[in-house]
Amino acid sequence: MTKLNFRKISEPCEIEHFLSLATHHSGVRLPSAYAERATIYGAFIGDHLAGGYMLVTKPDYRTLMFVPDRCKREHDFFSNSAYEMMEINALWLGPRIKTPQMQLRFWTNLILTIFFCRKKYLLLLSNTKNKTIERLVNMANPTTLYEGPPQLAGAQSTHQSIRVGYTTRWSILLHFPRYLAEIADRKRRLKETRRAQTAHSSPRNVPA
């Protein structure tokens, strides 16, 4: 069985490689300066970088840059200390992380890493047009802070329509069974697909 291993990425050349792959999968290029102050985790199959994510545990948070000032003034959440928060960004899974077992290992690693950062709130930003990532984000039972076009300044870039929300580290842990159920459902669908392919490719009895 192919083994999925995780390790931190810190060398400049590795960070650049990670950003290139994250850009390919998300369509958004993150600034190098932002990535350099993040903690980046790569998921490797052998020497091949197959997925990963980055965590930022100190302000300023890129997620909140895109929230309009009006929303920040009106929502009680923004009265919390920014040092009680963290954010996840550049989350991507390549095609080599294809089996349910590998996907389960990826999400388990992510959830436990977030939990042991010991921050009260996790900021979440998703592309409202990417239904797969949006569905996975929703499993964390987030509270929506803003949904709509992003507030952009200077050379910043992101998706055309975003949803920004937050959840807590305990909520992520308590809702982990949702991820297990999703993985179990994918495993079931994979078995059904293979069974159907086997039946289709089996030689049929031809009457003499």
Side-chain angles (χ1 to χ4, degrees), residues 98-117:
K98 57 185 178 181
T99 67
Q101 292 86 349
M102 295 173 73
Q103 292 169 5
L104 176 60
R105 176 160 168 71
F106 183 94
W107 294 112
T108 300
N109 177 274
L110 171 63
I111 289 169
L112 290 178
T113 302
I114 290 171
F115 183 80
F116 286 112
C117 284

Side-chain angles (χ1 to χ4, degrees), residues 130-166:
N130 189 329
K131 299 304 179 183
T132 300
I133 294 295
E134 186 177 23
R135 185 173 71 252
L136 292 169
V137 167
N138 286 339
M139 289 183 192
N141 197 34
T143 298
T144 299
L145 294 170
Y146 173 73
E147 182 174 352
Q151 174 178 269
L152 299 175
Q156 294 175 351
S157 65
T158 186
H159 306 287
Q160 292 183 344
S161 179
I162 61 171
R163 178 179 290 112
V164 175
Y166 73 92

Side-chain angles (χ1 to χ4, degrees), residues 56-59 61 64 76-87 117-123 145 166-167:
V56 177
T57 57
K58 295 178 182 178
Y61 300 114
L64 300 183
D76 291 340
F77 174 78
F78 294 98
S79 64
N80 291 299
S81 169
Y83 289 93
E84 292 185 299
M85 306 175 191
M86 64 179 293
E87 71 179 352
C117 284
R118 301 186 182 281
K119 295 290 184 174
K120 187 174 182 180
Y121 302 108
L122 172 67
L123 301 169
L145 294 170
Y166 73 92
T167 188

Side-chain angles (χ1 to χ4, degrees), residues 5-16:
N5 294 306
F6 295 85
R7 67 173 175 84
K8 291 183 181 180
I9 292 175
S10 57
E11 294 296 325
C13 60
E14 286 191 314
I15 292 175
E16 183 60 31

Side-chain angles (χ1 to χ4, degrees), residues 4 16 30 36 39 45 52 60 96 99 110 114 116 118 123 129 144 147 164 177 179 183 193-194 198:
L4 190 65
E16 183 60 31
L30 294 174
E36 288 170 0
T39 303
I45 299 174
D60 295 323
R96 294 198 184 190
T99 67
L110 171 63
I114 290 171
F116 286 112
R118 301 186 182 281
L123 301 169
K129 294 182 179 180
T144 299
E147 182 174 352
V164 175
Y179 291 89
I183 294 299
T193 300
R194 287 176 175 173
T198 300

